[in-house]
């Protein structure tokens, strides 16, 4: 039985607790850490209600004290984004396998340090891009792998949401360059990961245009990215936090010589279009996975199951640290492109951080 700790008990921690509860046959939550005690109590309640175990879970204000006192196999890090690297490195240094909620880090160098430390210590590192495990996404990936869509031409990720100022004021770290980034890093990163996973090709260049139209935050509330792959494929990302008056869509579209597929729903969990040569579209449109209770989706249970199996089989998890690093690097390349006005050569892009973007929108006013 693997012993698991959660570091950071904000609102995502309840989804994490549910996912762990659904894997209680192989993993058990033994410890929580957060600087606000009430948040740990709430997460503990969710875990015990969902698991039915009613176990006492040890709670710590200081995650370093927790690591010193508890025998932990896996740490799940869900603090503010800007602390992911520091906490992840500390856990790895203390021989603990790590799952990090998005994003892996706020800089290329930070993500590389995490990946390098996990390799050095012989530990598993995963990024929590749980939407890869959605059934419609798995079907799409299978169709591409089996070449049923023929040559893939392009992919499009659209995340047209609204996040009003109350969202940012509830957690003042949101929208800051130190701890979060903007719409691309916060709202769009899951879909950027999915798009890049479907393209499954080496990236040549990244070009972007971003803006801060309406929200009183440091970072962008709107952005468009164009990703050019070395084999000619093109990926595009459109992300917005200023759609009036409520969320409009979250879709992933993949087009090829023999197929066009669109996956949408609340958390890319529903097939909107399935026009693949030889397939009956109605069979796919009738697949009903239900709507999740939030944009976090259904995937945490499967992601944790995969991670546990990766430990058992000594293999890389489906969303490895390298995969998580690639998603971060695409977004940072987009930020640098906005800063310079030029496409960024991906192979030559070695150093960059969200902090390099400080003051960009003030300069443009």
């Amino acid at each position: 039985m693997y012993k698991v700790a959660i570091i950071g008990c904000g609102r995502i921690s309840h989804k994490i607790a549910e996912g762990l509860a659904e894997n209680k046959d192989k993993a058990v939550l033994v410890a929580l850490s957060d600087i606000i005690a009430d948040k740990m109590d709430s997460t503990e309640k969710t875990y015990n209600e969902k698991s039915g175990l009613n176990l006492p879970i040890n709670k710590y204000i200081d995650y370093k004290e927790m690591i010193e006192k508890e025998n932990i196999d896996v740490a799940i890090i869900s603090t503010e984004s800007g602390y992911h690297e520091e906490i992840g490195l500390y856990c790895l240094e203390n021989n603990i396998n790590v799952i990090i909620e998005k994003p892996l880090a706020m800089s290329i160098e930070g993500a590389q340090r995490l990946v390098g430390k996990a390799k050095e210590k012989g530990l598993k590192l995963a990024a929590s891009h749980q939407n890869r495990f959605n059934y419609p996404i798995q079907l799409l990936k299978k169709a591409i792998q089996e070449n049923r869509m023929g040559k893939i031409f392009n992919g499009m990720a659209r995340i047209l949401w609204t996040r009003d100022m109350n969202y940012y004021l509830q957690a003042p770290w949101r929208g800051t360059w130190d701890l979060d980034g903007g719409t691309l890093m916060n709202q769009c990163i899951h879909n950027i990961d999915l798009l890049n996973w479907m393209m499954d090709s080496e990236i040549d260049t990244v070009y972007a245009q971003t803006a801060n139209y309406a929200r009183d935050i440091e970072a962008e509330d709107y952005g468009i990215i164009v990703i050019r792959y070395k084999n000619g494929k093109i990926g595009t990302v459109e992300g917005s936090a200023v759609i009036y008056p409520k969320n409009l869509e979250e879709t992933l579209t993949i087009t090829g010589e023999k197929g066009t597929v669109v996956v949408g729903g609340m958390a890319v969990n529903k097939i909107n279009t399935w026009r693949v040569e030889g397939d009956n579209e109605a069979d796919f449109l009738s697949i009903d996975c239900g709507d999740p209770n939030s944009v976090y989706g259904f995937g945490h249970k499967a992601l944790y199951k995969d991670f546990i199996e990766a430990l058992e089989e000594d293999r890389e998890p489906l969303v490895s640290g390298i995969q998580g690093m690639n998603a971060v690097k695409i977004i940072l390349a987009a930020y640098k492109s906005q800063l310079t006005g030029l496409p960024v050569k991906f192979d030559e892009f070695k150093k960059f951080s969200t902090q390099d973007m400080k003051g960009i929108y003030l300069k443009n006013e």
Side-chain angles (χ1 to χ4, degrees):
M1 183 72 70
Y2 293 100
K3 295 180 179 179
V4 183
I6 299 173
I7 303 174
C9 294
R11 64 178 189 168
I12 186 64
S13 69
H14 294 275
K15 184 60 68 174
I16 295 169
E18 288 177 12
L20 288 174
E22 291 170 318
N23 284 281
K24 64 181 180 180
D25 57 327
K26 290 191 175 182
V28 61
L29 180 62
V30 298
L32 297 168
S33 178
D34 196 285
I35 59 174
I36 301 175
D38 290 350
K39 290 186 176 183
M40 290 188 279
D41 293 340
S42 179
T43 304
E44 177 187 41
K45 181 180 178 181
T46 296
Y47 178 75
N48 280 325
E49 285 179 351
K50 296 295 182 180
S51 68
L53 297 176
N54 294 315
L55 297 173
I57 299 172
N58 295 325
K59 305 182 189 74
Y60 298 85
I61 299 297
D62 184 350
Y63 74 89
K64 293 182 179 179
E65 180 187 358
M66 178 186 73
I67 289 170
E68 179 184 339
K69 292 183 176 179
E70 301 284 342
N71 183 20
I72 298 166
D73 299 303
V74 180
I76 300 174
I77 299 170
S78 55
T79 61
E80 296 91 335
S81 302
Y83 302 128
H84 288 178
E85 178 196 346
E86 174 189 340
I87 299 172
L89 287 172
Y90 191 85
C91 291
L92 291 166
E93 193 61 57
N94 284 274
N95 299 306
I96 299 171
N97 300 285
V98 173
I99 302 171
I100 299 181
E101 282 292 326
K102 58 81 177 171
L104 201 67
M106 305 299 289
S107 68
I108 299 174
E109 305 96 298
Q112 289 171 334
R113 281 190 285 269
L114 286 162
V115 170
K117 182 59 69 175
K119 183 178 180 181
E120 173 195 327
K121 303 286 283 187
L123 297 165
K124 305 302 178 193
L125 171 66
S128 188
H129 290 301
Q130 71 274 4
N131 288 342
R132 285 197 187 193
F133 296 90
N134 292 354
Y135 185 53
I137 293 296
Q138 291 281 317
L139 288 176
L140 173 55
K141 182 65 175 179
K142 188 170 185 284
I144 293 171
Q145 289 175 325
E146 294 176 349
N147 200 35
R148 286 160 48 209
M149 296 177 67
K151 181 180 179 182
I152 299 301
F153 299 142
N154 57 64
M156 295 157 274
R158 301 186 81 210
I159 308 91
L160 306 182
W161 289 350
T162 189
R163 295 292 182 268
D164 63 18
M165 274 311 300
N166 286 331
Y167 167 82
Y168 297 100
L169 293 173
Q170 285 169 2
W173 62 274
R174 292 174 181 156
T176 66
W177 288 122
D178 283 338
L179 298 178
D180 186 23
T183 298
L184 295 177
M185 186 69 85
N186 192 320
Q187 281 76 45
C188 300
I189 190 169
H190 285 301
N191 298 278
I192 289 168
D193 170 71
L194 291 180
L195 174 64
N196 197 49
W197 190 42
M198 297 301 172
M199 294 294 99
D200 193 24
S201 305
E202 292 185 20
I203 296 173
D204 183 25
T205 58
V206 174
Y207 177 73
Q209 287 286 299
T210 68
N212 183 308
Y213 286 123
R215 304 296 176 245
D216 185 18
I217 58 175
E218 288 184 328
E220 83 284 354
D221 56 26
Y222 181 84
I224 291 179
I225 307 174
V226 178
I227 306 167
R228 183 83 187 196
Y229 292 87
K230 291 182 180 179
N231 58 9
K233 296 176 187 175
I234 296 175
T236 59
V237 179
E238 182 180 16
S240 178
V242 292
I243 296 298
Y244 179 85
K246 60 183 179 179
N247 290 0
L248 179 62
E249 71 172 275
E250 178 185 14
T251 56
L252 177 70
T253 302
I254 303 295
T255 68
E257 59 184 342
K258 296 189 291 183
T260 300
V261 174
V262 182
V263 182
M266 181 180 287
V268 281
N269 60 291
K270 179 181 178 182
I271 296 172
N272 293 350
T273 302
W274 190 281
R275 298 172 186 170
V276 177
E277 186 178 275
D279 290 346
N280 179 7
E281 183 174 29
D283 292 340
F284 291 85
L285 297 181
S286 65
I287 295 170
D288 185 7
C289 299
D291 274 327
N293 57 11
S294 73
V295 294
Y296 298 133
F298 296 117
H300 282 86
K301 173 187 176 181
L303 185 140
Y304 299 152
K305 181 176 184 292
D306 173 75
F307 192 84
I308 292 165
E309 290 173 352
L311 291 172
E312 293 174 332
E313 300 164 11
D314 193 22
R315 62 165 174 82
E316 284 294 295
L318 179 65
V319 196
S320 67
I322 291 175
Q323 301 269 8
M325 179 174 66
N326 286 339
V328 169
K329 189 175 176 181
I330 289 169
I331 296 164
L332 291 174
Y335 285 157
K336 183 168 185 180
S337 179
Q338 173 61 32
L339 198 62
T340 64
L342 300 170
V344 173
K345 293 291 288 185
F346 208 66
D347 287 346
E348 300 169 6
F349 188 49
K350 304 295 184 183
K351 294 182 178 181
F352 200 77
S353 165
T354 53
Q355 294 193 29
D356 294 320
M357 297 293 289
K358 284 188 175 183
I360 178 176
Y361 296 111
L362 294 175
K363 293 175 184 175
N364 291 341
E365 289 178 352

